[in-house]
Amino acid sequence: MKNRTYINNSSDTANGDKKHGMDRRGFIKTAITAGAVLTVGPAMNNMIAAETAASNTVNSGIGNKYERLALKRRLGSGMAAFDVSAIGLGLMGMTYNRSEHPDKKHCVRLIHEAVERGVTLFDTAIVYGPLNNELLAGEALKPFKGKVNVTTKFGHEIINGKATGRQDSRPATIRKYCEESLRRLQVDCISLFYQHRFDPNVSVEDVAGTIQDLIKEGKVLHWGMCEVSADTIRKANAVCPLTAIQSEYHLMHRLVEYNGVLNVCRELGIGFVPYSPLNRGFLGGCINEYTQFDINNDNRQTLPRFTHEAIRANTRIVNVLQHFGRTRGMTSSQVALGWLLNKEPWIVPIPGTTKLSHLEENLRTIEFEVNDAEWNKLEETVAEIPVTGERYNAEQQRQVGF
Ligand SMILES: NC(=O)c1ccc[n+]([C@@H]2O[C@H](COP(=O)([O-])OP(=O)(O)OC[C@H]3O[C@@H](n4cnc5c(N)ncnc54)[C@H](OP(=O)(O)O)[C@@H]3O)[C@@H](O)[C@H]2O)c1
């Protein structure tokens, strides 16, 4: 796997990058020219940049014994650069939409285990719960303030603690949600604030302008958008540079490769955070047609890709991943995550889990070496199998792609 490439980045931190006004590609070039590459894998071409030995920056003082898991990647460039662990942790399923979950004490402990292993990127949103996922993140990560980052998301309207199903990204609402998220997360500044879904009633320029003001006021450090089009990304980035786009991306859903989103990220130096990188657990191989989803707390039962028929048909894809992993000592989750990590050095997946064993397994993905030809072969084999069922139902589909 290409992510064995290391760059000694002790002096070229995100801040250093900003100071010199150097964009990411400039940084890569300089790092190579300066001989900063310590160990270079065979295929360093498109991998090199943002993966950095992080030992003495974000993780210092946390007792990180998993040195290799602390490899870092850079989302965004220039003033928008944001250095994070190569794999993040999605917190949503600890309270919301992934069926029954362990109690808060267990989840706090698991989040601490992730910090211990070098994870510095934790993802939540106001709508998860709603609200209780941010509260969990705030409580669990308080002891690591300034050392790890919590990203959160605004956009879905919440009234009296309940999601209405409408979007509200009016400037005054963004400001209100920002203040409330700051309180729940127990931080002075939100590391990365995403617009969760586009609001057709508010121009992208107004949203970007509001975020720019919040950045000036020190309440937000970076920003991003979820599930938007290449055109929207361009408009938003022109007003206030984006750090990351967060959209669904995995071996069963590769839309961002075809709709221009990854291309525009590459061109503008914006990072990409694939959400649901295991296709909501499906690529982990533990879901079959008998799996029962909690009717009160699991959106998978509403998704066409999770009907019994779709699960049965799509299991062929999981079988391919398992087969690929068998001779390499990898699980299907590790194959799914490794494929994403290999795509670009500015891609940072955020798998979610409620189990220490899965956390460990997912993070250890970066230990495997798989070359480009092998990944390409896997990709081709998977692409030959038609995916059964749409990823979203009609209502959810209406909210994406603006
Ligand atoms: N921006 C957006 O619109 C958006 C939408 C959805 C999600 N997200 C973000 O993305 C994060 C992850 O998404 P997700 O939870 O939908 O999907 P995911 O990460 O693809 O899958 C999570 C599911 O996979 C299971 N799992 C994790 N590791 C596993 C392993 N090694 N083997 C087998 N099963 C495994 C988990 O169950 P266990 O608990 O049993 O491990 C969990 O149910 C969320 O937490 C959230 O932060 C963002």
Side-chain angles (χ1 to χ4, degrees):
M1 190 185 298
K2 283 181 279 184
N3 56 10
R4 267 182 69 82
T5 305
Y6 300 94
I7 293 174
N8 180 351
N9 190 34
S10 54
S11 58
D12 284 304
T13 59
N15 291 336
D17 198 2
K18 283 178 202 167
K19 199 168 60 192
H20 300 299
M22 194 190 297
D23 69 9
R24 176 171 53 234
R25 278 70 187 176
F27 163 72
I28 301 167
K29 213 170 145 193
T30 309
I32 298 168
T33 316
V37 178
L38 299 179
T39 308
V40 180
M44 68 179 231
N45 46 349
N46 69 343
M47 184 61 208
I48 299 166
E51 212 158 70
T52 58
S55 50
N56 52 7
T57 54
V58 182
N59 293 311
S60 58
I62 295 176
N64 173 23
K65 55 188 180 193
Y66 290 77
E67 210 174 294
R68 298 208 53 180
L69 296 183
L71 281 177
K72 289 180 72 188
R73 289 188 164 201
R74 180 166 293 173
L75 296 169
S77 50
M79 292 300 286
F82 182 36
D83 284 351
V84 294
S85 50
I87 299 177
L89 179 63
L91 302 182
M92 180 184 79
M94 290 184 176
T95 64
Y96 182 63
N97 257 348
R98 291 293 167 265
S99 285
E100 298 85 355
H101 50 80
D103 64 18
K104 190 171 81 178
K105 206 168 136 198
H106 175 101
C107 292
V108 168
R109 200 162 55 226
L110 186 60
I111 293 169
H112 290 183
E113 294 281 357
V115 175
E116 171 79 8
R117 283 160 175 74
V119 175
T120 67
L121 180 68
F122 295 84
D123 190 77
T124 181
I126 298 170
V127 78
Y128 299 162
L131 313 183
N132 61 19
N133 206 258
E134 277 195 338
L135 287 168
L136 170 69
E139 181 178 334
L141 293 170
K142 194 175 178 189
F144 310 105
K145 198 169 166 181
K147 296 195 166 77
V148 300
N149 300 288
V150 194
T151 63
T152 192
K153 315 182 192 82
F154 63 90
H156 291 293
E157 184 186 53
I158 313 286
I159 294 182
N160 296 330
K162 291 207 165 45
T164 64
R166 293 186 294 264
Q167 297 304 311
D168 188 352
S169 282
R170 289 173 296 173
T173 310
I174 298 176
R175 286 190 157 277
K176 176 173 171 287
Y177 284 180
C178 174
E179 294 296 341
E180 291 170 358
S181 288
L182 285 168
R183 271 197 298 279
R184 281 188 294 269
L185 295 173
Q186 306 190 46
V187 292
D188 310 315
C189 176
I190 297 173
S191 301
L192 201 167
F193 208 22
Y194 290 101
Q195 186 186 31
H196 208 155
R197 287 293 181 269
F198 189 84
D199 182 347
N201 298 316
V202 183
S203 78
V204 62
E205 287 82 5
D206 278 354
V207 173
T210 307
I211 297 287
Q212 190 168 50
D213 290 344
L214 288 169
I215 290 175
K216 280 188 198 139
E217 291 162 31
K219 293 181 175 170
V220 170
L221 191 57
H222 302 299
W223 86 295
M225 303 179 90
C226 302
E227 292 287 358
V228 283
S229 66
D231 191 39
T232 298
I233 294 169
R234 278 188 195 286
K235 287 182 190 158
N237 194 67
V239 177
C240 182
L242 284 155
T243 290
I245 299 302
Q246 185 180 129
S247 295
E248 182 170 350
Y249 184 35
H250 47 75
L251 269 161
M252 289 176 65
H253 181 77
R254 294 170 56 191
L255 179 67
V256 290
E257 290 179 24
Y258 312 114
N259 66 3
V261 165
L262 284 186
N263 283 342
V264 81
C265 286
R266 188 178 297 109
E267 179 193 329
L268 300 177
I270 301 168
F272 188 83
V273 174
Y275 74 71
S276 303
L278 302 175
N279 187 19
R280 302 167 181 81
F282 187 72
L283 294 174
C286 300
I287 292 174
N288 61 38
E289 61 192 289
Y290 303 108
T291 301
Q292 304 221 328
F293 301 116
D294 181 351
I295 51 163
N296 297 314
N297 189 35
D298 203 318
N299 67 346
R300 288 174 290 193
Q301 65 205 312
T302 69
L303 306 177
R305 205 160 280 176
F306 282 85
T307 61
H308 290 179
E309 184 201 12
I311 289 174
R312 237 187 341 264
N314 292 331
T315 295
R316 288 197 291 160
I317 296 173
V318 182
N319 288 346
V320 171
L321 270 63
Q322 287 170 336
H323 185 258
F324 183 88
R326 211 164 284 144
T327 52
R328 296 170 176 87
M330 299 171 81
T331 64
S332 59
S333 293
Q334 290 170 332
V335 173
L337 295 172
W339 176 81
L340 278 172
L341 287 168
N342 189 63
K343 276 285 170 194
E344 297 288 354
W346 36 269
I347 284 184
V348 178
I350 47 165
T353 184
T354 55
K355 297 182 177 66
L356 180 57
S357 59
H358 285 168
L359 173 75
E360 181 81 21
E361 175 184 334
N362 297 343
L363 295 178
R364 286 193 177 273
T365 299
I366 64 167
E367 300 194 343
F368 294 93
E369 283 188 72
V370 178
N371 67 37
D372 284 350
E374 295 173 284
W375 286 125
N376 290 343
K377 182 84 184 92
L378 170 79
E379 193 174 294
E380 283 165 20
T381 312
V382 171
E384 281 166 13
I385 306 171
V387 176
T388 300
E390 297 297 324
R391 64 162 172 150
Y392 278 144
N393 62 33
E395 174 52 32
Q396 291 161 320
Q397 193 56 39
R398 264 195 292 278
Q399 298 180 8
V400 300
F402 285 93

